[in-house]
Amino acid sequence: MRIGIPKETRPGELRVAGTPDFVKKMIKKGFKIIVESDAGVNAGFSDNDFIESGGEIADKKSAFGCDIVIKITRPSEEEIALFKKDSILICMIEPYLNDGLIDKLAGAGINAFAMELIPRTSRAQSMDVLSSQANIAGYRAVLEAAANYPRFFPVMMTSAGMAKAARLIVLGAGVAGLQAIATARRLGANVEAFDIRPEVKEQILSLGAKFIEIDVGESGTGDGGYAKELSEDGKKRQQELLMEKISKADIVITTALVPGKKAPVLITEDAVKKMRTGSVIVDMAAAQGGNCPLSEEGKVVKKHGVTIAGIANYPSLVGADSSLFYGNNIINLLALFAVSDKEGNVNINFNFEDDIIAASMITHNGVVRIK
């Protein structure tokens, strides 16, 4: 059975769905791996790296014509036409877009898995792409803040004078936020963090940060450990109570997202105006509308003397390791339904009583399985 690894074509996407390490592991499991030429070059992997790992370099059509195709981003309509019927697609589908792509996948007879829909359970942790990539994003976002901040992160004492530690706030303590806290602390910043889910306070404190106590008058805890959207009154109260803290910060990193909805506004324009000249905002939710209305997706801009980074794809900026983690997530998902027998033949069996397969498989035999 063949697994195809095509080159990503979305602008700014530097990752590849499978690395040479992925190729080695899957060949041992009985698969043949077809890699589109230059698929991994932006992530730091040459065609020769894949060949040495046992992969075969081919053209785009050959990569998409495999039994299983793995990608980072959703395929285009032109790419859908290259799939063979009854093949399997594994990628981040962006199912909340509701733009008809899922219907087209079903119509083409493609059995598609949406990696974002893998449930956040202990058993599914090794397949959780959102967590593996968010972890990297939180790390890289802090480096972005440091690159744009005109002062030191840690206390610096020299014969020429002393610099105080940066005051950094992280808004949202999910996987990305917690990694941002840990990275900023390692760089020597004084860190505070806020989340509308009070149960994450202990995790924030365990990383050496202070928890910002704010009562918005309602619970922000949703299903599956995610945050849920606050009421309009709750949002307004949250903005007002955070404004004073934000005005005193040197750096603010925002990570707040609500699945399937526009990112909540945490930093208003008035709050930006109150920040000190030279301060930095890293808005990790820029691709979903932004936690700050002044953010511009894919750009680093200055507004009211504050640098605002709206970079939309931080994992892509750490392409090699992001690709490695992503590929490992896929290996663990494949183990649920693609298993080699004693003769080395790979057998496909979709068990819809398995909660992971049931949740993440969005098309099967021409039928859309999610609403």
Side-chain angles (χ1 to χ4, degrees), residues 9 48 54 87 92 184 295 297 324:
T9 56
N48 193 53
S87 61
M92 290 189 279
S295 300
E297 183 180 349
L324 176 67

Side-chain angles (χ1 to χ4, degrees), residues 72-74 91-96 113-120 127-130 226 326 359-360 362:
I72 300 288
T73 62
R74 62 198 338 237
C91 70
M92 290 189 279
I93 295 273
E94 300 172 85
Y96 299 118
F113 285 86
M115 293 296 284
E116 320 81 322
L117 296 182
I118 288 175
R120 284 195 148 172
M127 310 161 209
D128 186 355
V129 159
L130 293 182
Y226 291 100
Y326 187 92
S360 60
I362 59 171

Side-chain angles (χ1 to χ4, degrees), residues 140-161:
R140 184 57 179 77
V142 174
L143 300 188
E144 188 66 27
N148 284 284
Y149 183 56
R151 296 178 173 85
F152 293 115
F153 261 46
V155 172
M156 293 291 286
M157 299 180 68
T158 74
S159 59

Side-chain angles (χ1 to χ4, degrees), residues 82-337:
L82 300 176
F83 283 80
K84 68 178 187 178
K85 189 177 179 181
D86 296 324
S87 61
I88 298 167
L89 167 66
I90 304 174
C91 70
M92 290 189 279
I93 295 273
E94 300 172 85
Y96 299 118
L97 290 183
N98 294 321
D99 59 357
L101 181 80
I102 295 173
D103 291 323
K104 290 171 184 174
L105 290 171
I110 300 168
N111 300 310
F113 285 86
M115 293 296 284
E116 320 81 322
L117 296 182
I118 288 175
R120 284 195 148 172
T121 60
S122 296
R123 177 170 168 263
Q125 198 169 26
S126 65
M127 310 161 209
D128 186 355
V129 159
L130 293 182
S131 291
S132 74
Q133 302 302 295
N135 198 29
I136 293 169
Y139 159 80
R140 184 57 179 77
V142 174
L143 300 188
E144 188 66 27
N148 284 284
Y149 183 56
R151 296 178 173 85
F152 293 115
F153 261 46
V155 172
M156 293 291 286
M157 299 180 68
T158 74
S159 59
M162 174 181 171
K164 294 180 180 179
R167 293 170 294 182
L168 185 145
I169 291 177
V170 176
L171 301 180
V175 175
L178 291 172
Q179 182 56 248
I181 292 168
T183 303
R185 288 290 297 139
R186 285 195 292 269
L187 290 177
N190 289 327
V191 183
E192 294 181 90
F194 169 74
D195 196 290
I196 57 175
R197 300 164 298 158
E199 60 268 24
V200 303
K201 177 180 179 179
E202 186 176 334
Q203 292 173 284
I204 291 170
L205 295 175
S206 72
L207 293 171
K210 295 179 181 178
F211 181 68
I212 297 174
E213 301 274 2
I214 289 178
D215 181 9
V216 298
E218 58 187 271
S219 172
T221 304
D223 297 331
Y226 291 100
K228 72 175 183 180
E229 191 172 22
L230 296 176
S231 67
E232 291 304 314
D233 287 342
K235 292 176 185 176
K236 186 175 180 181
R237 181 173 173 81
Q238 179 179 244
Q239 291 167 1
E240 291 171 347
L241 293 173
L242 283 172
M243 188 178 295
E244 182 181 356
K245 281 286 186 182
I246 290 168
S247 68
K248 297 176 181 177
D250 299 311
I251 298 161
V252 183
I253 296 176
T254 70
T255 72
L257 291 170
V258 179
K261 296 180 183 283
K262 185 178 179 180
V265 174
L266 304 181
I267 307 175
T268 63
E269 184 168 2
D270 285 340
V272 175
K273 289 177 179 178
K274 291 184 177 182
M275 294 180 73
R276 187 174 67 181
T277 298
S279 299
V280 177
I281 295 171
V282 176
D283 189 346
M284 296 183 68
Q288 284 75 42
N291 295 142
C292 176
L294 301 181
S295 300
E296 296 184 26
E297 183 180 349
K299 297 181 180 179
V300 178
V301 297
K302 274 200 174 181
K303 303 286 181 70
H304 306 298
V306 176
T307 299
I308 305 174
I311 293 170
N313 190 350
Y314 283 104
S316 186
L317 301 181
V318 193
D321 284 335
S322 295
S323 300
L324 176 67
F325 289 6
Y326 187 92
N328 286 338
N329 290 145
I330 289 182
I331 288 171
N332 292 319
L333 175 63
L334 283 168
L336 297 181
F337 63 84

